[in-house]
């Protein structure tokens, strides 16, 4: 394709870098412009929960995207490790979800998808997770739930992109100009929570807004948990080294402020100790927060920007950008190569009306 760069990617988060990796593997020359450090925003901050998925039997578009995407996580992790020597920490550790009344439809949907799951009795829960005090809600266990260590995964992606010759340009904010479209065959916009300001100069209004999520990391002296535990919008994620990550808040009102707050951290600590009382005695290693790219209907925006054939938008992944990243990158690659997307994207059109009836089976 000549000596020039074929593709410009705006945003060096998990969506931009996984897309860069997929495009470079397809033989295209790629440049990534990142305003700050590569992979240090939401993609660094996330908890890295990877739910299970069975793409053959999903009932709606977002579940199909999730299921297709999570299927790619194990092979992608192996490929990155082989390529770069960096282990991204992906492992299938199993998960337990405690069901809230507003999610009462989920068990039927999980069953319809043919996911492997069980409804453990109190006795079984005690046996599997002796340190857990279960809340008074129905419990579902997913042996296929996994997790990835976000900072390691981002490091592996950066290294893999470098090896493939992707031109990585941190500290390079991209300001839109028509010159960009003269210089590149395609421009991929993956600017996370900043998507609205990035597409505005193209005359497009995108309702993406930052939704702050805070995290607290405990470092118990002994292992206290082995499964990911999800209880509504909050969760515990046990790392392989015994640390336990507790997330998360959902704070759209914080705007672009990324600081932790006392109320946010206190709420997470209380939640964690309520589920695993031993955490009351565990040192807290650190707290952090990230800005999720939230859309009105919590669904991502994927596809060509209306009126701009060569501009592809991949943003607004909200709570699920890590699990959706391999599938999103596959879609971006398909669009650039001019093939029909291997995962349908009509439901994610950038110019859609919000579709509140399309709910994912897992929130992350
Ligand atoms: C606390 C928390 C927990 C989470 N847990 C999970 C989870 O368990 N599982 C899961 O799947 N997802 C989870 N998520 C969601 C997931 O992290 C996000 O959906 C995902 O990281 C979004 O990736 P991104 O690449 O779109 O955004 P980002 O990682 O934010 O990357 C966008 C990048 O674009 C750059 N940028 C913006 N504007 C410009 C510009 N003009 N020029 C150049 N660069 C620009 C930014 O600096 C940024 O680095 C969580 C998120 C948070 C905050």
């Amino acid at each position: 394709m000549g000596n020039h760069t074929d593709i410009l990617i705006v945003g060096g988060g998990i969506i931009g870098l996984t897309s860069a990796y997929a495009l470079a593997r397809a033989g295209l020359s790629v440049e990534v412009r990142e305003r700050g450090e590569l992979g240090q925003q939401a993609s660094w901050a996330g908890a890295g929960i990877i739910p299970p998925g069975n793409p053959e039997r999903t009932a709606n578009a977002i579940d199909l995207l999730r299921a297709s995407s999570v299927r790619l996580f194990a092979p992608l992790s192996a490929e990155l490790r082989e390529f770069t020597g960096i282990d991204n920490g992906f492992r299938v550790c199993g998960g337990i979800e405690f069901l809230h009344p507003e999610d009462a439809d989920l068990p039927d949907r999980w069953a319809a998808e043919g996911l492997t799951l069980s409804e453990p009795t109190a006795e079984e829960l005690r046996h599997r997770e002796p340190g857990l005090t279960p809340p008074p809600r129905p419990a579902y266990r997913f042996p296929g739930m996994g997790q990835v260590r976000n900072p390691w995964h981002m490091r592996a992606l950066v290294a893999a992109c470098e090896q493939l010759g992707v031109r990585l340009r941190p500290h390079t904010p991209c300001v839109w100009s028509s010159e960009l479209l003269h210089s590149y065959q395609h421009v991929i916009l993956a600017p996370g929570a900043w998507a609205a300001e990035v597409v505005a100069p193209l005359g497009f209004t995108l309702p993406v807004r930052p939704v702050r999520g805070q995290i607290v990391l405990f470092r118990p002296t002994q292992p206290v948990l082995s499964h990911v535990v999800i209880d509504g919008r909050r969760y515990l994620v046990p790392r392989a080294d015994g640390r336990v990550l507790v997330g998360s808040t959902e704070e759209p009102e914080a705007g672009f402020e990324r600081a932790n707050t006392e109320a946010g951290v206190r709420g997470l600590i209380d939640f964690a100790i309520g589920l695993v009382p031993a955490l009351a005695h565990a040192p807290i290693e650190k707290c952090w927060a990230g800005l999720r790219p939230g859309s009105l209907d919590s669904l991502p925006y994927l596809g060509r920007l209306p009126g701009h054939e060569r501009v592809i938008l991949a943003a607004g992944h909200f709570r699920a950008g890590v699990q959706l990243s391999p599938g999103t990158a596959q879609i971006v690659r398909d669009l650039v190569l001019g093939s029909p997307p291997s995962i349908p994207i009509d439901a994610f059109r950038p110019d859609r009306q919000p579709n509140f009836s399309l709910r994912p089976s897992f929130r992350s």
Side-chain angles (χ1 to χ4, degrees):
M1 292 234 176
N3 289 328
H4 68 287
T5 306
D6 302 319
I7 314 289
L8 172 65
I9 297 184
V10 179
I14 199 164
I15 300 299
L17 289 175
T18 316
S19 301
Y21 176 73
L23 291 165
R25 295 235 31 178
L28 293 148
S29 63
V30 183
E31 173 183 333
V32 177
R33 292 192 199 174
E34 162 56 48
R35 173 159 43 199
E37 296 286 349
L38 292 159
Q40 291 298 305
Q41 289 289 345
S43 305
W44 180 92
I49 300 170
I50 310 293
N54 178 11
E56 281 80 39
R57 287 182 46 185
T58 49
N60 72 33
I62 186 62
D63 283 338
L64 179 54
L65 175 58
R66 181 250 316 152
S68 311
S69 189
V70 299
R71 273 266 171 100
L72 300 171
F73 231 98
L76 174 65
S77 302
E79 205 175 275
L80 289 174
R81 192 169 52 244
E82 201 172 304
F83 219 55
T84 66
I86 299 173
D87 177 8
N88 68 4
F90 173 73
R91 66 192 180 97
V92 176
C93 54
I96 297 168
E97 175 145 1
F98 292 102
L99 200 73
H100 283 233
E102 69 269 23
D103 294 328
D105 61 317
L106 293 185
D108 283 346
R109 290 170 58 187
W110 294 329
E113 192 175 321
L115 297 177
T116 305
L117 82 169
S118 64
E119 295 177 57
T121 59
E123 179 62 34
E124 190 189 343
L125 274 179
R126 236 189 329 273
H127 170 70
R128 290 194 181 275
E129 289 291 1
L132 184 69
T133 303
R137 286 181 269 286
Y140 292 83
R141 178 171 174 267
F142 299 90
M145 191 170 286
Q147 58 169 290
V148 66
R149 296 286 285 262
N150 292 28
W152 300 0
H153 184 65
M154 298 314 295
R155 225 178 295 144
L157 279 174
V158 168
C161 284
E162 269 167 354
Q163 281 187 39
L164 288 168
V166 174
R167 190 166 173 228
L168 295 173
R169 300 181 62 192
H171 305 291
T172 311
C174 185
V175 180
W176 187 263
S177 75
S178 51
E179 202 187 302
L180 290 179
L181 275 183
H182 294 130
S183 313
Y184 301 92
Q185 284 177 14
H186 285 92
V187 179
I188 318 295
L189 301 178
W194 295 266
E197 76 179 50
V198 170
V199 300
L202 288 147
F204 197 78
T205 304
L206 193 68
V208 169
R209 60 175 183 168
V211 181
R212 184 171 66 193
Q214 303 191 43
I215 299 251
V216 175
L217 183 67
F218 287 89
R219 188 168 45 80
T221 46
Q222 291 176 351
V224 294
L225 201 64
S226 59
H227 291 73
V228 169
V229 175
I230 300 175
D231 186 13
R233 290 173 193 276
R234 296 185 291 184
Y235 45 76
L236 304 178
V237 181
R239 296 306 194 200
D241 58 15
R243 289 175 166 89
V244 177
L245 183 152
V246 185
S248 183
T249 57
E250 244 184 51
E251 303 168 275
E253 66 282 3
F256 285 97
E257 173 59 64
R258 225 174 57 151
N260 284 107
T261 63
E262 191 184 327
V265 169
R266 196 170 347 109
L268 291 174
I269 292 173
D270 289 347
F271 166 76
I273 293 173
L275 284 176
V276 180
L279 287 174
H281 310 289
I284 291 177
E285 188 165 306
K286 60 179 168 181
C287 309
W288 65 83
L291 303 177
R292 304 180 188 91
S295 60
L296 289 178
D297 51 15
S298 305
L299 303 172
Y301 293 100
L302 300 175
R304 298 183 199 283
L305 204 64
H308 301 275
E309 232 349 70
R310 291 188 289 126
V311 180
I312 294 167
L313 182 65
H317 291 72
F318 193 36
R319 293 181 68 111
V322 177
Q323 49 171 285
L324 300 182
S325 58
T328 298
Q330 190 168 305
I331 290 164
V332 168
R333 188 201 55 201
D334 292 341
L335 291 172
V336 165
L337 295 178
S339 337
S342 42
I343 305 170
I345 55 169
D346 268 3
F348 312 123
R349 294 172 58 94
D351 59 352
R352 68 170 183 269
Q353 291 300 313
N355 183 355
F356 298 103
S357 64
L358 198 56
R359 284 179 59 232
S361 292
F362 293 92
R363 285 198 185 92
S364 249

